[in-house]
Amino acid sequence: MKENEVPQDESPISKKGSTELVYAVDENGKMTAVQSKGWKPKSEIQYQNLEHLNQLTEQARQNVLEGKCSPVVYYMELHKMDWQTLAAYMKSWTFFIKRHQKPSVFKKLSDKTLQKYADIFEISVDDLKNFKG
Amino acid sequence: MQSSFQHKQAAHCENGAIVNLLQNKGFTISEPMAFGLGSGLFFVYLPFIKVNHAPAISYRPMPGQIFNRLAKHLGIKIKRRKFSNPQKAQQALDENLKQNIATGLLVGVYHLPYFPDEYRFHFNAHNIVVFGKENGRYLVSDPVLDYTVSLSEAELEKVRYAKGALAPNGHMYQLERIPEKFDWSPAIRKAIKKTCRDMLAPVPIVGVKGMRMVAKAIVKWHKKSGAVKANYNLANMIRMQEEIGTGGGGFRFIYAAFLQEAGEYLQNDDLINLSKEMVEIGDKWRDFALEAARVVKKRSNTENVYQVLSNQLLHIADLEESFYKKLKKAI
């Protein structure tokens, strides 16, 4: 990549007013550090990825409203977590945490466990118990 | 309070932390040099570990390795500490700051408020340098940004105690002892040899062989799990490759810069020529990312897109294999 080929496309990072540093070849054939606003293909993939995760969250929201799974699933998706990550935050095993996706199991959870979830998701226990979508 | 701290932007967080920590001790080292001496170029494919539901692909060694290797090659001593108790972690950091010691931290990216949403994933191996505390807020030099930021105590605790894969557990590090004079030549030789060994390792998931395995997996993802899943995996691979300089394309250019600097220092023309070759390989990685982005966006009109991508990656693996063999001889 030549210095003048360094992409300067709008990107998530440029919207925050920063740049990223890349290395490119200058006109004398030397490597040099250049600030770049971003690269379109990369940003597109990032948007696409976020879009995909938003779809998962939306799907989870529907499922919770239809009573197919517990709010834990929705908030997990909302925070871009997977079961392993959530289990690590809960300091528990994936096997136990996964069971909490069943509405029947979720209903029986103690307030202490619910409080733990609420803290992780930065919501109140009430939001968890009475899911409004 | 450290008002004299100078922040320098870097392409990759770990190199950046090294450069910033050393610079504030009065040692100037360029980012490519730090990356090269830390043998930062790497590749590993871990199909049995899932990150955000996609198989893990890493273009760099384990977090902390770049710094450790650099330290070993240059004779620097680093002090690393982890804390099970967040309060103790904060105390230790505060004490360091009182003594004006800039401190490196490993943190989770997800809870960093100054990053855009697109970057915020549960990735727990980001490096930042804390260099002061003002009005209860920590002054943070995040190497990938071109300005410094600040975090509240609660925010910093949250990122230091992010959970999940590679949980940092309050990990902090600082420079303990720096030799009076660096011995560059042997360090450069050792570091380059290490990189060649890594990339040519006779292990199926590591280095050039790892790339070949991914190339084959791309076709398999499509056949076995359909286009949606294959695209998702690909997107994750490209994100790993290009995001915040943690990846393939960008790393090749940094390494090329390192080879050039090393070549000039050792007066070795072979290294300078190889640096040019590395730039070309870096361009190939970028082409690969571009093509993959097209596939993910379903804009590619080529038939058998996954096979094409796979072949592209195999080609890169071939180029790199011969590259490292040459590099091994040149040193």
Side-chain angles (χ1 to χ4, degrees):
Chain A
M1 187 167 56
K2 299 232 169 62
E3 196 179 355
N4 56 13
E5 291 168 359
V6 171
Q8 301 290 355
D9 307 330
E10 282 295 318
S11 74
I13 206 96
S14 77
K15 281 180 197 153
K16 285 267 178 182
S18 185
T19 53
E20 47 191 15
L21 208 63
V22 294
Y23 287 80
V25 186
D26 73 5
E27 47 197 22
N28 303 320
K30 292 253 181 229
M31 296 302 292
T32 176
V34 190
Q35 287 190 320
S36 159
K37 280 168 100 181
W39 190 35
K40 203 172 160 213
K42 170 177 150 182
S43 308
E44 278 180 348
I45 282 205
Q46 288 177 324
Y47 294 137
Q48 181 95 2
N49 199 285
L50 216 54
E51 177 78 5
H52 176 84
L53 293 172
N54 288 342
Q55 275 171 15
L56 289 181
T57 312
E58 181 54 30
Q59 183 62 44
R61 200 176 68 88
Q62 289 297 335
N63 286 346
V64 178
L65 288 176
E66 286 166 23
K68 282 185 198 158
C69 63
S70 79
V72 169
V73 180
Y74 168 76
Y75 286 108
M76 179 181 83
E77 296 288 2
L78 186 68
H79 286 271
K80 301 179 191 164
M81 290 181 179
D82 52 17
W83 291 109
Q84 285 89 343
T85 312
L86 182 58
Y89 271 97
M90 286 296 287
K91 295 182 182 147
S92 177
W93 303 96
T94 317
F95 170 80
F96 294 116
I97 299 301
K98 270 190 180 174
R99 287 186 70 237
H100 299 168
Q101 65 181 304
K102 288 187 193 164
S104 57
V105 178
F106 178 74
K107 257 183 231 152
K108 287 182 208 149
L109 287 181
S110 69
D111 278 352
K112 207 176 137 199
T113 314
L114 287 176
Q115 188 60 51
K116 257 167 116 182
Y117 274 120
D119 289 344
I120 291 167
F121 298 137
E122 295 171 332
I123 49 171
S124 68
V125 175
D126 202 47
D127 288 337
L128 260 181
K129 275 184 174 167
N130 308 307
F131 183 77
K132 293 185 194 80
Chain B
M1 294 312 115
Q2 207 161 24
S3 48
S4 60
F5 185 86
Q6 276 183 12
H7 170 73
K8 205 170 164 201
Q9 191 187 11
H12 176 54
C13 63
E14 192 165 339
N15 310 334
I18 302 171
V19 171
N20 278 316
L21 284 178
L22 278 171
Q23 178 156 301
N24 287 282
K25 285 265 185 182
F27 292 89
T28 310
I29 182 170
S30 72
E31 184 191 359
M33 206 43 152
F35 180 74
L37 288 181
S39 307
L41 210 58
F42 195 62
F43 188 91
V44 64
Y45 173 48
L46 301 166
F48 38 84
I49 294 181
K50 299 279 188 277
V51 179
N52 295 316
H53 310 288
I57 296 170
S58 178
Y59 294 82
R60 54 179 254 183
M62 284 288 283
Q65 280 289 357
I66 301 183
F67 204 177
N68 283 346
R69 288 173 182 175
L70 169 111
K72 201 175 137 201
H73 292 145
L74 285 180
I76 298 172
K77 199 158 180 239
I78 317 168
K79 186 172 171 190
R80 292 180 180 276
R81 277 183 285 173
K82 283 187 184 185
F83 304 87
S84 52
N85 181 343
Q87 267 160 3
K88 288 221 172 103
Q90 194 188 331
Q91 274 169 16
L93 178 61
D94 286 346
E95 235 146 74
N96 264 4
L97 295 176
K98 259 184 215 143
Q99 297 170 39
N100 248 342
I101 302 172
T103 308
L105 296 180
L106 269 182
V107 296
V109 174
Y110 183 75
H111 291 289
L112 283 177
Y114 53 77
F115 267 159
D117 261 356
E118 287 80 1
Y119 282 83
R120 292 180 51 218
F121 285 90
H122 294 276
F123 170 70
N124 289 336
H126 186 57
N127 290 272
I128 59 174
V129 175
V130 179
F131 61 93
K133 196 176 184 185
E134 255 171 25
N135 309 325
R137 289 181 74 82
Y138 290 100
L139 306 178
V140 172
S141 143
D142 191 312
V144 298
L145 298 178
D146 68 355
Y147 43 76
T148 56
V149 285
S150 72
L151 289 174
S152 73
E153 288 181 354
E155 282 167 343
L156 192 67
E157 182 179 318
K158 203 153 207 179
V159 293
R160 289 183 78 185
Y161 282 87
K163 298 283 189 305
L166 304 172
N169 288 322
H171 191 140
M172 61 184 248
Y173 54 92
Q174 67 206 64
L175 296 168
E176 198 163 57
R177 201 190 46 188
I178 308 172
E180 281 179 14
K181 209 168 153 274
F182 288 142
D183 210 353
W184 295 103
S185 310
I188 292 171
R189 286 208 182 82
K190 272 187 212 155
I192 290 181
K193 273 186 195 152
K194 172 81 185 140
T195 298
C196 293
R197 238 186 357 257
D198 281 349
M199 296 306 279
L200 297 171
V203 184
I205 57 171
V206 174
V208 174
K209 283 194 186 316
M211 292 174 202
R212 296 210 173 99
M213 198 162 164
V214 174
K216 282 171 202 150
I218 292 174
V219 184
K220 231 190 278 171
W221 291 336
H222 181 230
K223 264 190 197 147
K224 263 185 154 176
S225 327
V228 176
K229 183 75 187 150
N231 286 351
Y232 182 75
N233 288 353
L234 261 181
N236 262 294
M237 177 177 176
I238 300 306
R239 277 192 33 240
M240 280 294 162
Q241 185 182 322
E242 299 296 334
E243 207 155 273
I244 342 186
T246 43
F251 275 13
R252 270 45 188 192
F253 297 123
I254 307 179
Y255 204 71
F258 161 68
L259 287 179
Q260 183 180 292
E261 217 180 311
E264 279 164 11
Y265 187 84
L266 298 175
Q267 294 177 331
N268 184 335
D269 285 340
D270 286 350
L271 288 186
I272 293 173
N273 290 333
L274 282 167
S275 152
K276 286 179 188 135
E277 203 176 319
M278 195 69 206
V279 173
E280 282 164 28
I281 294 175
D283 285 335
K284 292 263 170 11
W285 276 104
R286 275 171 61 84
D287 292 343
F288 173 77
L290 190 65
E291 188 62 34
R294 278 200 197 114
V295 173
V296 173
K297 289 287 278 178
K298 300 184 190 70
R299 279 220 200 104
S300 180
N301 297 322
T302 340
E303 258 181 75
N304 282 331
V305 278
Y306 299 98
Q307 192 61 54
V308 172
L309 271 179
S310 172
N311 292 347
Q312 224 173 336
L313 193 54
L314 283 174
H315 180 56
I316 294 175
D318 290 343
L319 289 177
E320 291 216 349
E321 186 172 6
S322 76
F323 175 86
Y324 297 116
K325 280 183 179 157
K326 275 185 265 177
L327 184 58
K328 217 163 128 189
K329 278 192 194 126
I331 197 78

